[in-house]
Amino acid sequence: MADEEPKNMSMFPLDAKSYHIMHEIGSGVSGVVYKAVCIPMNSAVVAIKAIDLERSRANLDDVRKEAKVMVLLSHPNILRAHCSFTVDSQLWVVMPFMAAGSLHSIISSSFPDGLPEPAIAIVLKEILSALAYLHDQGHIHRDIKAGNILVDSDGSVKLADFGVSASIYESHPSFQWCPSSSSSFCNDMAGTPYWMAPEVIHSHVGYGIKADIWSFGITALELAHGRPPLSHLPLSKSLMMRITNRFRIEDSHYKNDKEKKKKKFSKAFKEMVASCLSQDPSKRPSAEKLLRHPFFKNCRSVEYLVKNMLQAVPSMEERFKDMSINSDSNSPIVKVRRVSGWNFNEDVLEMDPVFPTENDEKCTINCVQHHGEEMEDKACCPDSIVVEVNRINAKEGEESPKDVCASPPNSTAVPKQLLIPNLVSLLSSLDVQRVMVKNVLACCGGMAVDEEKLRDQREQQLLGVVQRLQRTVDELNIQLQQELRRNAHLEAALDCIKKKGSAEEGNESELNCA
Amino acid sequence: MKGLFKSKPRTPAELVRQARELLIYIDLNGPSREGKREEKMAELSKTIRELKSILYGNSESEPVSEACVQLTQEFFRENTLRLLIICLPKLNLEARKDATQIVANLQRQQVHSRLIASDYLEANKDLMDILVSGYDNMDIALHYGAMLRECIRHQSIARYVLESEHMKKFFDYIQLPNFDIASDASATFKELLTRHKSTVAEFLSKNYDWFFAEFNSKLLSSPNYITRRQAIKLLGDMLLDRSNSGVMTRYVSSKDNLMILMNLLRESSKNIQIEAFHVFKLFAANQNKPAEIVSILVTNRSKLLRFFSNFKLEKEDEQFEADKAQVVKEIAAL
C-alpha cells in the first residue's frame, strides 16, 4: 500500500474529481487529513492532507518548500507525497494511507503506559534509518515525535510531516513558522515544545542536525512511558527545566508506583537514550552512529509490530470517532483554556485530533497524582539528585499560585461548566503546593517536630528558601527574556547585513556587466 | 580509516575530470549495454557525491576553500556544467539532487575574487534555455528550476532570461496543476522580476504592454486562487519598488487596471484583499489621476468608503491604518 517508486508520482491525478473522500482521520491547526480513494487508480486508498492556505500561518514560500522536500525525498521510512495540487484555497497533498495511524494515537488508545521494549527498538531503528538519510541529505526534520511516526497495517514505519523541516543547503533561513497559535514565546521556534532540544530553545546557538537526535531521545522516552517527560508541566516551565536539567530514562518525572513495578528497561536502551539527551549537542551521536548501538543489534523485524502492537489497536476510524464524540461537549471552550502539550501538534498527519479541554483536565489531575506520589517517594530517600529535583519542583510550586490567581478574574462571567475545570485545577494546584511545602519542610529537617519554637524557626527558614527560589525563578525569567530579546536583535542585525550583502552583490554584478 | 585503504585520494580537479569523462560516456551511450552503463552510472553518482562533499563539507569536516577553488576552476575550464545539465535526466534521484546542489554552490564560488560561473554562463547562455524548458518535464522540473534560480543570481544571466521568449512561458508554468512545479516556477518568476532592480525596471518599461496585458489577464484574473494570490503579491512588490516608479505611474493611470484591482478587493480571501489594497492605494494616492479613474472612484465612493470602514487586519498595524486613512481621505475629497 505504501510502496512508492519515484515514477508512481506521475500516475496520481492532479484534480479533486479523481478522488473520493471517505472520512476525516485527523485534524490540526492548518488543515484536515482525510482517508480517500483515488478512483482512476482502481480506487487505491490514500490519505489526503488538505491545508487551508488562507488560514495557514505558514507563508506560501514555506508551503512550497515543504511540498518540495516531500517530493524529493525517497526512503522507505519517510512518508513521501504522491502529488499535490490546489483546490480553491486548499492545498491537497496526496500521500500513502498508513492504516494504523500515528504512534501517538496507538499509544494513547492502547498503550497508555508505553510500548514493550522490543517494539520500541523496532520503531526507533526504522526512524533512525530515516534520520540518517535525512541528515545525509542536509535536512533537519525538527519535529520528531510519536505523533509524526506513522505505521501501516504491514508494520512498516514512516516518518512524516516536514512542515517545519529545514535544509542546511538553503540559504534563506525561514524559521519563523510558529507552531502554536497562542504562545508568542514560540514565535521564533519550530517544532513541538516538549520534544524540543535545549539549543533550539536557546535559538541563537542555531539549529543543527543534533537537535533531531535530542527529539529522537525524547521520542524514545515517549514510546517507553506513553508521554514525553515534563509533559505534565505547563509549557514555559518545561522549557525552563529543559535548560537547567537532565533526563534519564527512569527519571523521577515519570516515577509512579505502578509504573515502577512494571517497567524495567534494558541497560542498552537507557544508555542509548542518555547519549541522545546530552546537553552538549556535539556529544550526541549521529543517527548513523546510533544505528550501530548495541540496543539495535538484535532488533526484530516489523512483523513483531503487526503481531504484538497492531493487533491490540482499534482501527483508526474507531479511534478518531471516539475522540470526536468525547470532545463534542467541551469543544466550545477549546480556545479559552491555557495551552496543553498536545495542543501544539501543528501537524495534520497526527491521526489524533487535539482537544485541549478534555486532555487538559485529565492532565492536571494526573499531574497532581504524579506529584503526590513522587514527593512521598522522595521524602524517604534523601539522595542528592532527588533533592535537586525537589528544588526545581518547589520552584514550580512557587509559580503555580500566580497562574491560579490570574485565571479567576477572566472566568467570573463564565457559566458553571466553564468554572468547574478552573476550580479543579485551582484545587489541584493547592494540593500540589501543600505537598510541596510538606516536602520542603521534610527536606529542611526530617519530619516535622511538635515543638512550637522549632516549628517557627523552620517556617522562617522555609520562607527564606522560598524567597530565594522565587528570586532564582525571577532571575531565570529575566535572563530568558533577555536572551529572547538579544536573539531578536541579532536576527534583525543579520537580516540587515544580508540585505546589505545582497544589495552589494547586485551592484557588483551590475558593474561587471556594464 | 577509509583513507588507509584507498589507493590514492584524488584531488578535486581529478574528481571533476573523472566526472566529466563519465558524463561523456553516459551522454554518448544509450541504454544498450546495460551492465557496463550501470557500472559507470554508479561510479558517476559516487563521484558527484564526492564533489558535493568537497563543496559543502560533511559530518566530519567543513569545506576547505582551496579545494573549492580548484574544483570550481576545473569545472568551468571545460564544458562539465553543460554535460551535467544535459545528462541530469539520466541520473537517479539522489545524483540529481547532489548535482543540483553542486551547480547551486558553484554560482557563489569566487576564484581570484571573481565569480567565474558568471563568465561561463555568459558564454553559454543557451544553457538557460535548457533549464527553463525543464518546467515542461515534471521529472526534472524541480532540479532544473533550482539550478535556474541560482544562475539568475548573475545579473547578466537574469537579463538574458527576462529578454528571452521564455518569459511568456512562465505565465503558463505558474498555473501547472502540479503544485510543487507550479510554485517552483512561481518562485523563479518572482526572482526574475524582483532581484536585479535596474534590469527589472528596464525590462518592465520596454515590455510594458504585453507583460501587463498577460499579467492582468492570465494571472490576476486566473480562476486559480493560488495564482491570483501570488500574482497580486508580486505586483505589489514590483510597483512599490522605487526603481519601478515609472512603471508604477503608468500602471495606476489605467482604468482597466483599476477595475481588476477593485475586483480583487472584493475577493473572499483576506490575503488577496490585503495585497490588493497595497496596489489600490497607489491609484488613490496618485496626484494626477486621469478623469476616467476619478470617475470610477467617484461612482463607487460610498461603496468604497463603506468597504474601508470595515476593512481591518487581524493584527493591529499602524502603517496599514495610516495608509487606509490616507486612501479614505483621498476618495472622500474627490
Side-chain angles (χ1 to χ4, degrees), chain A residues 24-29 31-33 101-102 104-106 108-109 145 147 315-328 331 334 340-360:
Chain A
E24 198 174 314
I25 48 174
S27 63
V29 180
V32 182
V33 183
S102 83
H104 171 230
S105 141
I106 291 172
S108 40
S109 77
K145 58 178 177 180
S315 82
M316 203 160 36
E317 286 84 350
E318 282 165 41
R319 275 180 265 157
F320 186 71
K321 225 184 293 161
D322 287 351
M323 294 300 270
S324 315
I325 292 164
N326 288 343
S327 73
D328 275 354
S331 42
V334 162
S340 89
W342 304 108
N343 199 15
F344 278 80
N345 288 331
E346 174 71 16
D347 68 290
V348 212
L349 290 173
E350 171 69 72
M351 296 305 177
D352 273 346
V354 171
F355 300 109
T357 36
E358 259 277 306
N359 292 348
D360 219 13

Side-chain angles (χ1 to χ4, degrees), chain A residues 55-112:
Chain A
R55 271 178 47 210
S56 163
R57 312 189 135 248
N59 68 43
L60 293 179
D61 221 34
D62 294 333
V63 176
R64 173 179 71 85
K65 279 179 201 151
E66 178 186 0
K68 192 175 154 181
V69 168
M70 281 194 72
V71 166
L72 291 181
L73 293 173
S74 172
H75 186 275
N77 297 115
I78 288 177
L79 187 76
R80 186 163 183 264
H82 290 312
C83 66
S84 55
F85 52 88
T86 55
V87 181
D88 297 325
S89 67
Q90 286 184 342
L91 173 64
W92 282 22
V93 183
V94 182
M95 298 173 290
F97 177 70
M98 300 291 282
S102 83
L103 268 176
H104 171 230
S105 141
I106 291 172
I107 287 173
S108 40
S109 77
S110 310
F111 297 92

Side-chain angles (χ1 to χ4, degrees), chain B residues 69-297:
Chain B
V69 165
Q70 277 182 33
L71 191 156
T72 310
Q73 268 177 321
E74 184 60 32
F75 213 95
F76 291 114
R77 195 184 331 265
E78 284 186 73
N79 61 350
T80 317
L81 183 63
R82 174 178 298 274
L83 279 166
L84 191 60
I85 288 174
I86 290 174
C87 293
L88 193 93
K90 296 176 181 172
L91 305 180
N92 66 34
L93 179 66
E94 298 306 320
R96 284 180 191 178
K97 284 188 280 185
D98 289 342
T100 305
Q101 285 167 356
I102 290 172
V103 173
N105 187 294
L106 288 172
Q107 306 310 315
R108 304 155 195 233
Q109 289 291 345
Q110 298 199 353
V111 178
H112 308 307
S113 58
R114 238 189 117 66
L115 292 166
I116 59 171
S118 176
D119 302 340
Y120 177 86
L121 290 176
E122 187 93 32
N124 293 274
K125 283 179 182 152
D126 62 305
L127 285 178
M128 294 305 109
D129 307 340
I130 300 176
L131 292 183
V132 175
S133 67
Y135 286 120
D136 289 320
N137 178 350
M138 61 187 286
D139 270 346
I140 51 167
L142 294 180
H143 308 288
Y144 277 2
M147 287 185 189
L148 178 60
R149 265 196 307 286
E150 292 298 328
C151 293
I152 57 175
R153 293 166 65 89
H154 309 299
Q155 188 156 16
S156 57
I157 304 306
R159 182 184 297 122
Y160 171 78
V161 178
L162 276 170
E163 287 170 355
S164 70
E165 281 301 297
H166 300 309
M167 270 319 268
K168 295 207 167 96
K169 291 199 223 159
F170 274 96
F171 292 91
D172 299 320
Y173 292 148
I174 286 173
Q175 306 202 60
L176 285 170
N178 194 316
F179 176 77
D180 12 289
I181 299 177
S183 58
D184 191 277
S186 172
T188 309
F189 190 64
K190 182 179 177 186
E191 186 78 358
L192 281 167
L193 290 165
T194 50
R195 186 170 184 97
H196 304 285
K197 310 284 183 210
S198 60
T199 309
V200 172
E202 192 191 330
F203 166 77
L204 288 177
S205 46
K206 266 196 212 158
N207 299 275
Y208 184 94
D209 289 323
W210 78 262
F211 181 84
F212 283 107
E214 291 277 286
F215 202 96
N216 286 347
S217 66
K218 282 198 170 160
L219 305 186
L220 292 180
S221 313
S222 163
N224 188 332
Y225 160 87
I226 193 99
T227 305
R228 290 197 306 280
R229 184 169 156 190
Q230 286 177 322
I232 185 64
K233 172 86 171 67
L234 175 59
L235 181 65
D237 289 348
M238 289 191 298
L239 298 185
L240 287 163
D241 195 302
R242 209 172 297 156
S243 57
N244 293 327
S245 61
V247 171
M248 187 270 280
T249 317
R250 200 164 158 195
Y251 193 88
V252 300
S253 303
S254 150
K255 178 184 98 181
D256 293 338
N257 294 346
L258 176 65
M259 281 156 65
I260 288 173
L261 263 298
M262 284 173 68
N263 282 328
L264 288 172
L265 275 182
R266 289 173 47 227
E267 287 251 358
S268 58
S269 155
K270 190 85 182 175
N271 287 301
I272 292 180
Q273 282 187 335
I274 292 166
E275 294 303 337
F277 171 74
H278 287 306
V279 179
F280 176 82
K281 71 187 179 193
L282 299 172
F283 286 89
N286 180 7
Q287 290 311 302
N288 301 307
K289 292 185 207 50
E292 49 183 17
I293 298 263
V294 174
S295 118
I296 289 178
L297 292 178

Side-chain angles (χ1 to χ4, degrees), chain A residues 49 66 70 77-80 95-96 98 101-102 127 130 134 141-151 157-165 347-351:
Chain A
K49 175 174 169 179
E66 178 186 0
M70 281 194 72
N77 297 115
I78 288 177
L79 187 76
R80 186 163 183 264
M95 298 173 290
M98 300 291 282
S102 83
I127 292 309
L134 265 184
H141 185 283
R142 303 204 300 176
D143 204 10
I144 309 283
K145 58 178 177 180
N148 281 337
I149 300 172
L150 303 184
V151 184
V157 175
K158 285 176 200 284
L159 183 58
D161 206 325
F162 296 84
V164 288
S165 71
D347 68 290
V348 212
L349 290 173
E350 171 69 72
M351 296 305 177

